[in-house]
Amino acid sequence: MVYRVPRAAPASTLPDERRGRILGRFCKACGSVYPRYVDRHQGKPMYGKDHVASTCGHEDDEFLPGESWWEPAIEALPAAEPPPAVD
């Protein structure tokens, strides 16, 4: 069985040429990606830790625009190939 996980990263860490579509919401505190359609940081993340013993400090907080603890999770596109060397 193969698990396929998209390459998601916080929007602030990717240059413009490597940004793809928005995959979800990235919590800066726990490093997990939550679906775009959820409005609260609760339950299981799409990608990340799901450990009851060490919950995130933002558990049950709303993903409100302008909050500093989360940002969009963007698909990381592959780096462009360098141009061929000219002798």
Side-chain angles (χ1 to χ4, degrees):
M1 177 182 273
V2 176
Y3 292 100
R4 298 196 175 155
V5 178
R7 296 175 180 253
S12 63
T13 63
L14 291 173
D16 290 338
E17 63 273 3
R18 298 229 17 230
R19 291 183 185 193
R21 60 191 171 103
I22 296 175
L23 297 175
R25 299 170 181 195
F26 181 84
C27 175
K28 294 179 182 180
C30 65
S32 298
V33 177
Y34 288 84
R36 292 185 320 186
Y37 56 83
V38 299
D39 60 347
R40 291 188 174 277
H41 183 298
Q42 63 185 5
K44 293 184 178 182
M46 288 187 337
Y47 310 104
K49 304 173 205 107
D50 181 27
H51 197 270
V52 176
S54 61
T55 58
C56 180
H58 293 287
E59 190 72 24
D60 206 35
D61 287 352
E62 285 188 61
F63 288 110
L64 297 174
E67 292 286 341
S68 62
W69 60 270
W70 75 274
E71 62 182 289
I74 305 293
E75 178 182 23
L77 300 175
E81 293 184 26
V86 178
D87 291 333

